[in-house]
Amino acid sequence: EFMALRLENGTNCSGRLQVFYNGTWGSVCSNSMTPETVSLACKELGCGDRGSLETQWPYGRLSGPAWLDRVECGERNSSFWQCPSAPWDPQSCDDLRDETHITCKGLCLLSRCPGGSLPSPDREKIRAVGGENRCSGRVEVWHRGSWGTVCDDSWDTRDAEVACRQLGCGPAVSALAEAAFGEGSGPIWLEQVECRGTEPSLQDCWARPGDSGACRHKEDAAVNCSGLGCAGPSPLPGLVLPFLCSCHAGPIGARLTGSGRVSLPVIICIILGALLCLLLALLAGQVRSARAGRR
């Protein structure tokens, strides 16, 4: 019930570390704080996988509660809330110099990266450019007022799965690299995207801000989505088959990244489509035979 952290009086991912307890936000004291503690706090905040402790602050007395002190995370702790600490105490420390001020960096959520606060619905904007249709192409996201690309470092089918879901194009068929649909011209907003595959959008995946200069547009990431949900042409007049998809997404020979395997839903769709085509062919033969018999 007390699992809430925030950074106050700073940027999105830099400032004074505070914890919510007993209905009030209060400071976290920096005594005995380890580098692992700072890293796990940054991770909990969605601000990166590492950080640094800022120590040069003037003397003065705290104006509010300081709930925690001696938070000592170790290598075995996977969450900030698993770390041992001193008991809850509103006067854990009283000197401004003992307050914890941190600056986070490394992999972060796009919505929490420095300079990356995005109002909804802008934070959900994504598009596929250069493909045969909207379900295939170079992945671009809207960030800080402009469209930008995604670097293909660590880009795999789990990342593509999230991108295709956000595009509304069904499961991913493949994750493509090396500017498979041409090089972009705008900024590169994301590098080293690390999705689990279940996130609602790329902006909710861990990633590194693309302003390091380590990536070039020849490394732009792309997707090839199944396009499930598109209505395809019917072999018989008046028969609507919304589950047969005509949104083929991208060149078959494009190089795959990661595992490059076709996802199970796509395989099932192909098998069911083939069986349905066979049944329709048999039905068409029966209709033709019946007409010939009547004549």
Side-chain angles (χ1 to χ4, degrees):
E1 62 187 297
F2 309 117
M3 293 168 63
L5 289 177
R6 75 177 183 184
L7 290 174
E8 191 191 41
N9 294 337
T11 63
N12 278 348
C13 291
S14 176
R16 180 173 62 189
L17 183 64
Q18 291 194 322
V19 62
F20 190 77
Y21 178 76
N22 200 25
T24 307
W25 288 99
S27 299
V28 177
C29 305
S30 60
N31 296 309
S32 303
M33 184 161 288
T34 62
E36 289 82 4
T37 304
V38 178
S39 296
L40 287 177
C42 289
K43 208 168 186 179
E44 183 70 31
L45 290 161
C47 283
D49 53 359
R50 63 185 186 276
S52 58
L53 185 64
E54 309 296 334
T55 56
Q56 297 181 355
W57 295 95
Y59 171 79
R61 293 191 62 82
L62 291 175
S63 58
W67 287 120
L68 275 180
D69 195 9
R70 302 193 179 277
V71 184
E72 300 180 26
C73 301
E75 294 181 356
R76 295 185 178 182
N77 300 118
S78 59
S79 167
F80 181 86
W81 308 107
Q82 295 175 350
C83 303
S85 70
W88 295 102
D89 182 353
Q91 296 179 333
S92 294
C93 57
D94 56 11
D95 190 337
L96 284 174
R97 292 174 294 182
D98 292 332
E99 277 191 315
T100 299
H101 294 258
I102 61 175
T103 298
C104 299
K105 50 193 172 183
L107 297 181
C108 60
L109 300 178
L110 180 61
S111 57
R112 296 302 305 274
C113 289
S117 179
L118 293 175
S120 183
D122 282 354
R123 69 177 301 273
E124 303 300 334
K125 286 184 179 179
I126 184 176
R127 66 183 182 183
V129 181
E132 296 178 358
N133 49 62
R134 71 176 191 86
C135 292
S136 68
R138 181 179 60 254
V139 177
E140 295 189 356
V141 295
W142 179 265
H143 182 53
R144 291 162 67 176
S146 64
W147 289 102
T149 60
V150 178
C151 189
D152 65 8
D153 293 343
S154 77
W155 183 257
D156 59 20
T157 51
R158 289 177 298 181
D159 307 321
E161 196 75 29
V162 174
C164 288
R165 181 184 303 119
Q166 192 176 358
L167 286 165
C169 290
V173 175
S174 59
L176 308 171
E178 297 180 353
F181 290 95
E183 297 183 10
S185 58
I188 300 173
W189 285 132
L190 290 177
E191 298 178 23
Q192 202 174 330
V193 179
E194 298 283 356
C195 298
R196 295 188 302 271
T198 57
E199 293 88 348
S201 71
L202 282 181
Q203 287 88 339
D204 295 305
C205 299
W206 291 98
R208 192 182 304 279
D211 53 6
S212 67
C215 191
R216 297 291 182 267
H217 279 298
K218 64 181 181 180
E219 302 170 78
D220 284 343
V223 291
N224 197 347
C225 306
S226 65
L228 292 180
C230 304
S234 172
L236 292 177
L239 183 59
V240 178
L241 302 175
F243 46 86
L244 285 182
C245 304
S246 61
C247 292
H248 303 293
I252 296 175
R255 188 177 74 82
L256 304 183
T257 62
S259 63
R261 293 174 295 182
V262 178
S263 60
L264 182 61
V266 176
I267 295 174
I268 294 173
C269 183
I270 292 171
I271 294 172
L272 291 176
L275 290 174
L276 183 60
C277 289
L278 180 60
L279 289 174
L280 289 172
L282 292 174
L283 177 61
Q286 293 288 338
V287 171
R288 187 171 298 177
S289 297
R291 287 177 179 175
R294 283 198 297 272
R295 283 200 298 268

